[in-house]
Amino acid sequence: MARKELPEINAGSMADIAFLLLIFFLVTTTMDVDSGISRKLSEKPPENYTPPVIKQKNILEINLNRNNEMLVEDERMEIEDLKQYTIDFLDNGGGVGKPTEYGPGTACDYCNGKKADDSSDHPNKAIISVQSDRGTSYGMYITVQNELLAAYTELRNRYAKKYIKGQYAGMSYDELLLLSGNDKENEALKAVIKKVKEAYPQIISDAEPTK
């Protein structure tokens, strides 16, 4: 009895389909992106450098222990209260600020704080010191940093909307940054963003972690 030969299978179309599926998954698959904090590290000070004298009231001390508990000015605080507490500290306006390129130090005429004697003199003098423990989780540290950055952003947004005039009047700081991303050569826009940053300069210090 003659043996019946089986027809050959054309694998060419299968290869095309596999290739198309590969392209499809490459295009549609999302990739996790590592998140982090944009921060410029301070440079090493020159030899014989004498650090300036800083009043204790101009420093907001935040401590994170190994149990991920947060102490602000030696008082236990929940993370959801940190942003507003930081805003109150930065925006206090209780004294005179540092001299700038525009002139000598003056009182903060744009601050809406209580002008308390035991809080910061001026936003350009306000320093936030964050000290963690070697056992503090990275997630807790990032959460605290995010709340601090959110406080600065809220104050900068308010300042930009109220005090920036002309072409960019009424725009928030976030909107100005978004606009600058699409127009990186715009010097006028850069000057406006610089002015907003100088109103509320971001001064966050990371102290040496405790053991």
Side-chain angles (χ1 to χ4, degrees):
M1 182 175 179
R3 191 171 189 180
K4 187 176 181 180
E5 295 184 359
L6 295 174
E8 294 183 358
I9 299 175
N10 185 3
S13 60
M14 298 285 290
D16 292 338
I17 293 173
F19 180 74
L20 290 174
L21 287 174
L22 176 62
I23 296 297
F24 173 78
F25 287 118
L26 287 175
V27 171
T28 59
T29 302
T30 58
M31 311 235 354
D32 292 334
V33 179
D34 292 334
S35 60
I37 299 174
S38 177
R39 182 72 55 78
K40 181 179 180 181
L41 298 178
S42 58
E43 298 179 358
K44 183 179 180 180
E47 295 182 5
N48 303 324
Y49 171 74
T50 303
V53 178
I54 302 174
K55 295 180 181 178
Q56 185 61 36
K57 69 175 185 175
N58 285 321
I59 303 176
L60 177 62
E61 294 185 350
I62 301 174
N63 298 93
L64 307 174
N65 64 22
R66 63 179 63 247
N67 298 320
N68 289 331
E69 296 171 332
M70 181 175 64
L71 298 176
V72 180
E73 300 294 327
D74 295 328
E75 296 289 337
R76 175 78 179 275
M77 181 178 293
E78 300 300 326
I79 192 67
E80 56 266 22
D81 299 323
L82 179 60
K83 176 183 172 183
Q84 187 57 52
Y85 192 94
T86 303
I87 289 175
D88 294 340
F89 169 75
L90 296 172
D91 204 36
N92 180 60
V96 176
K98 297 187 296 185
T100 66
E101 59 181 292
Y102 308 107
T106 59
C108 182
D109 56 1
Y110 53 83
C111 291
N112 294 337
K114 298 179 179 179
K115 304 189 186 307
D117 293 333
D118 58 349
S119 190
S120 70
D121 288 324
H122 194 281
N124 66 15
K125 282 187 175 180
I127 300 173
I128 300 177
S129 174
V130 180
Q131 185 176 46
S132 58
D133 185 274
R134 296 192 185 277
T136 304
S137 71
Y138 184 70
M140 180 61 179
Y141 176 81
I142 292 295
T143 301
V144 169
Q145 294 287 343
N146 283 339
E147 292 299 308
L148 297 178
L149 296 181
Y152 278 105
T153 299
E154 182 169 322
L155 290 171
R156 288 174 173 179
N157 283 338
R158 188 191 72 191
Y159 180 89
K161 288 182 177 181
K162 187 173 182 179
Y163 293 99
I164 298 302
K165 307 300 181 184
Q167 179 182 359
Y168 304 107
M171 297 183 68
S172 68
Y173 174 69
D174 284 332
E175 291 171 332
L176 292 172
L177 289 180
L178 184 61
L179 192 62
S180 68
N182 300 323
D183 191 4
K184 297 181 179 180
E185 303 302 322
N186 191 327
E187 296 300 327
L189 180 56
K190 289 181 181 179
V192 168
I193 293 176
K194 179 183 177 183
K195 183 178 180 180
V196 177
K197 288 182 176 180
E198 288 176 344
Y200 290 99
Q202 181 182 303
I203 311 174
I204 302 177
S205 170
D206 286 309
E208 184 72 19
T210 57
K211 296 181 180 180

